[in-house]
Amino acid sequence: MRVPVPEMPESETPGLPASAMRLVPSRLTQVCLLAAALALGAVSPAMAKGKTAGHDKAAAHAVKSGKTAAAGKAAKSAGGGKASAKSAGKKGSRGGRAAHVAAGAAAAAAPVGLEHWAPSSDKPDQAEDAKELAALRSTAQSGDAKAQYLLGSRYRFGRGVNQDLAQAVQWFRKSADQGYAPAQSDLGVLYANGRGVSQDERQAVQWYRKAADQGDGIAQNNLGLMYAEGRGVAKDDAQAVQWFQRSAQSGEAAGQYSLGVMLASGRGVKEDSRSALQWFEQAGEKGHADAQYNAGMMYAEGAVVPQDMPRAAGWLEKSANQGNASAQSTLGFLYANGQGVGQNPATAARWFERAAKQGDTVAQSNLAAMYASGQGVEKSMAKAYYWLLIAKTKDASLQSRVRTAEQDLGSAEKLRIQREAQAWKPVKQ
């Protein structure tokens, strides 16, 4: 994401969401580095076969949430103890690199498009904010394009006013018609996703192009996404790359990330994973969480550049601290096994828990293992059972571990935990 934003309903979160372009599959298991599924009662990593994400909605979901079946099978033969990061990286580079670079851009569903403006997480002084809003409204009504855009943005997110997407569209259009690029780009996002206006991807493309032609980096990236996914225009990876390049060269982190995706996957351009890593790192330095995750995974895998687990951990921690569940889960694994960081089961459990609460299946499974064994947390088969029940809804291969955990629980306790698990909902961490 371009900048951290306050929590809000997913449909109202600005930036590139889960449906946006992603490169590296969300699990270590999927890039053939280290299996993040831990055996029940022991922290024991294993190897697993990589998986290649497709370009459809189901594949995008799989990339985000992860699959542990392959890792679970491998874990049975892995034995206990800590796996060697060096040997794992070598094994992973044989078959894993193809899966790693072929993941491509899995984005087939709205919402899509990065917005220019988002409300600050700081709570404004109400009196001062009301005064600022009144002045902004007066300036906007006088015809000032920037003020019109900013007023529309307030209606877009309900900052100082009741959220009103139709009003946002009206003010954005007034500004966009005067040629103000941020308004044109953000109006395109509303059209692309049917917010405050009937969804019209062709209109979205038109507005993106108007802003992109003015050199707006965010609009250039958004237009590239439309070409990459064939939304509002015929799918054209080469055109997508051209717009991503323009966005990246303007210094826009989202464009740098998107260009990295295309380079690493060979979509619309000759595959060049080293250049991809450079773009991921540039975007990562600007705070792009997915780019940070990708950079971390590439250093961890060691197929494109020499394996560097400390550097991998550094990038993953940056991403994890921004709430990237995949990075949190992977970082938990590194702390559990002392790879790139000092071994620290308690820290591992904390990262697993953060990712687990967001719905990361592998992290839920790993957290259950920590509770079952009492590593990093107080031993609790009840909590292990709870997280296994939740994880099992997406990974049926965990059924045997569920049965093992419930053997230590009474009927009443099992029923209570089952009810709690059924009521569980993911929350941002």
Side-chain angles (χ1 to χ4, degrees):
M1 298 306 113
R2 190 160 185 260
V3 293
V5 296
E7 292 186 5
M8 56 187 73
E10 184 176 355
S11 62
E12 297 303 326
T13 302
L16 296 178
S19 64
M21 301 180 64
R22 294 183 184 274
L23 167 66
V24 182
S26 303
R27 295 280 65 82
L28 285 169
T29 59
Q30 290 179 309
V31 295
C32 293
L33 173 63
L34 302 167
L38 309 181
L40 184 62
V43 181
S44 52
M47 295 302 300
K49 294 183 179 180
K51 297 183 180 180
T52 301
H55 293 164
D56 58 9
K57 186 175 182 180
H61 178 76
V63 165
K64 184 179 181 184
S65 61
K67 302 289 183 182
T68 61
K73 292 177 181 177
K76 293 180 180 178
S77 59
K82 183 170 66 176
S84 164
K86 185 175 181 180
S87 63
K90 288 181 178 178
K91 292 179 182 178
S93 65
R94 296 174 187 171
R97 185 171 180 271
H100 164 81
V101 298
V112 65
L114 182 66
E115 297 176 84
H116 274 267
W117 191 91
S120 167
S121 58
D122 297 330
K123 292 185 178 180
D125 178 88
Q126 291 187 350
E128 285 297 319
D129 192 55
K131 185 185 299 184
E132 179 182 316
L133 176 60
L136 183 64
R137 189 182 299 279
S138 176
T139 306
Q141 290 172 341
S142 72
D144 184 88
K146 183 177 180 180
Q148 290 169 341
Y149 166 69
L150 292 175
L151 182 58
S153 296
R154 280 178 169 262
Y155 279 109
R156 164 72 180 90
F157 294 104
R159 186 61 179 263
V161 295
N162 292 327
Q163 187 179 49
D164 188 331
L165 296 180
Q167 279 284 324
V169 169
Q170 289 183 29
W171 285 110
F172 281 169
R173 189 183 300 280
K174 289 177 184 291
S175 179
D177 284 341
Q178 295 192 66
Y180 191 64
Q184 292 171 336
S185 185
D186 284 11
L187 182 59
V189 174
L190 298 187
Y191 269 110
N193 299 290
R195 293 172 176 166
V197 67
S198 297
Q199 186 175 27
D200 188 334
E201 292 178 344
R202 289 183 180 275
Q203 278 269 19
V205 168
Q206 290 176 16
W207 286 113
Y208 287 154
R209 196 181 302 278
K210 287 178 183 292
D213 285 341
Q214 295 190 63
D216 186 282
I218 289 178
Q220 289 166 344
N221 179 70
N222 288 348
L223 184 56
L225 287 173
M226 301 301 272
Y227 274 109
E229 299 306 322
R231 298 180 60 174
V233 290
K235 185 174 180 179
D236 188 331
D237 284 346
Q239 277 286 321
V241 168
Q242 289 183 29
W243 285 110
F244 291 150
Q245 286 176 330
R246 292 176 65 174
S247 178
Q249 289 164 359
S250 78
E252 174 54 46
Q256 293 169 343
Y257 168 71
S258 297
L259 181 58
V261 168
M262 303 300 272
L263 285 165
S265 58
R267 284 188 59 186
V269 67
K270 184 179 179 181
E271 181 186 320
D272 187 344
S273 294
R274 284 184 176 273
S275 293
L277 176 57
Q278 291 174 4
W279 285 115
F280 288 146
E281 289 190 289
Q282 285 192 45
E285 291 291 353
K286 294 182 174 70
H288 195 291
D290 288 336
Q292 292 166 343
Y293 173 71
N294 283 357
M297 292 299 291
M298 292 175 84
Y299 278 113
E301 184 189 26
V304 177
V305 291
Q307 188 180 59
D308 188 333
M309 297 305 289
R311 182 174 282 187
W315 279 117
L316 290 169
E317 188 154 13
K318 288 178 183 291
S319 182
N321 280 327
Q322 292 196 72
N324 186 307
S326 299
Q328 292 169 346
S329 181
T330 304
L331 191 60
F333 175 80
L334 297 186
Y335 272 106
N337 295 282
Q339 294 179 316
V341 292
Q343 189 172 27
N344 190 323
T347 300
R350 286 196 294 271
W351 282 118
F352 284 147
E353 184 173 24
R354 288 183 64 177
K357 287 181 176 179
Q358 294 198 69
D360 188 287
T361 306
V362 174
Q364 292 165 350
S365 172
N366 289 349
L367 184 58
M370 303 292 274
Y371 276 116
S373 63
Q375 296 184 64
V377 292
E378 185 177 350
K379 186 173 181 178
S380 172
M381 196 56 71
K383 290 183 178 180
Y385 182 57
Y386 171 78
W387 284 113
L388 284 171
L389 284 176
I390 294 170
K392 184 177 71 69
T393 62
K394 292 183 179 178
D395 186 358
S397 71
L398 295 172
Q399 181 59 49
S400 62
R401 290 176 59 185
V402 171
R403 287 196 295 267
T404 299
E406 67 185 5
Q407 291 175 6
D408 290 349
L409 305 173
S411 298
E413 189 173 22
K414 282 194 297 184
L415 182 59
R416 175 184 61 80
I417 296 171
Q418 288 168 2
R419 288 173 176 170
E420 290 176 356
Q422 289 175 350
W424 176 85
K425 292 182 179 179
V427 293
K428 294 182 179 181
Q429 293 288 304

